[in-house]
């Protein structure tokens, strides 16, 4: 009888990947982190002949990470993401401590300077942007937002009276405040009028709700349909939330802005590899060039350490030590 109960309990236990999903959601990790971790754990299991991770330990993890660096030539950041996924699996899900991975062949991480556009190049790029992508790009350059911070922006986080934007749950789970460019204030107001009309129509059609962070949906069931919680840049279509299964209007896909910006950079004839993050780099560099304190720029960017912000001093016309060429 006891054996039957044990077997029944084992059969009712969630599968490994479902256990991973449950822990990730309990810790409030983003859907992107969930998808990335699940993918790396799958690849790890397949690489080792579909053995269960409980049967493996440090040696197999090190072997897989070395395979990524040596055979697949992945970037250092990619290898680190795979390592984070496997450490999460063993520590948080399987409750098994992984020791120091001495045998891992690390992917080489060469130092790279950020791609920064000049003020003239930024104007050229913006001349080839229109509509919502132009407004979003304006926030990346004018407020220093990251791409996903921009697409996840909620109506309640824009304060027109104080001309500021509150970035919620940014990188590292921190909130921060940055400026709302005065030149974007009126275009953003007009944009929100159109978004509000769309939201009102969604409510009439029986929709109008959005995904809410953490346990807010349970604590405030009506908040999902409130105007304040709607996305500033909503998707053009209603879709199904992969976690709840509800039909909702999610935020715009970030690929739309990425594609529009790439076309604008090409149309402007700029040979630099400009992308969405280049606008954030340009925001920081241009502020420093105008004499703003590096600590202020650090706070606006949301960098944990000022050393991260210091990299922008290397792309200024006058670097950190204000050294000028003898030819000048």
């Amino acid at each position: 009888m006891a054996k039957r109960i044990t077997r029944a309990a084992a059969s009712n236990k969630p599968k490994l990947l479902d256990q991973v999903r449950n822990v990730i959601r309990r810790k409030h990790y983003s859907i992107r982190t969930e998808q990335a971790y699940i993918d790396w754990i799958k690849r790890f299991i397949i690489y080792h002949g579909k053995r269960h991770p409980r049967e493996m330990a440090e040696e197999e993890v090190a072997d897989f990470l070395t395979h990524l660096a040596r055979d697949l030539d992945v970037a250092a950041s990619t290898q680190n993401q795979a390592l984070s996924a496997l450490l999460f699996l063993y520590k948080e899900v399987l409750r098994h401590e992984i020791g120091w991975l001495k045998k891992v062949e690390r992917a080489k991480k060469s130092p790279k300077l950020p791609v920064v556009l000049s003020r003239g190049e930024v104007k050229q790029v913006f001349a080839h942007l229109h509509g919502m992508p132009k407004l979003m790009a304006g926030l990346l350059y004018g407020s220093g937002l990251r791409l996903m911070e921009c697409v996840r922006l909620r109506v309640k986080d824009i304060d027109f009276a104080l001309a500021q934007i509150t970035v919620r749950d940014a990188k590292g789970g921190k909130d921060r405040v940055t400026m709302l460019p005065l030149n974007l204030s009126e275009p953003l107001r007009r944009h929100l009028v159109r978004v509000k009309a769309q939201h009102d129509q969604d409510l009439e059609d029986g929709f109008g709700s959005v995904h809410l962070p953490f346990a807010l949906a349970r604590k405030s069931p009506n908040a999902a349909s409130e105007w304040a919680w709607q996305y500033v840049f909503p998707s053009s279509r209603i879709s199904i939330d992969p976690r709840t299964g509800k039909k909702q209007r999610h935020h715009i896909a970030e690929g739309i802005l990425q594609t529009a910006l790439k076309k604008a950079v090409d149309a402007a004839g700029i040979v630099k590899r400009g992308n969405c993050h280049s606008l954030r780099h340009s925001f920081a560099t241009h502020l420093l060039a105008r004499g703003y304190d590096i600590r202020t720029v650090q706070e606006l960017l949301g960098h944990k350490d000022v050393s991260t912000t210091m990299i922008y001093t290397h792309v200024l016309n006058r670097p950190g030590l204000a050294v000028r060429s003898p030819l000048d």
Side-chain angles (χ1 to χ4, degrees), residues 61-73:
V61 172
D63 182 36
F64 176 67
L65 295 173
T66 299
H67 159 70
L68 294 179
R70 182 189 301 163
D71 304 330
L72 301 185
D73 196 27

Side-chain angles (χ1 to χ4, degrees), residues 135 139 158-161 163 180-192:
L135 192 55
L139 290 176
I158 298 179
D159 191 326
F160 288 101
L180 169 64
L182 297 179
N183 287 336
L184 286 185
S185 183
E186 194 54 39
L188 194 54
R189 285 181 189 273
R190 293 196 298 267
H191 167 76
L192 288 177

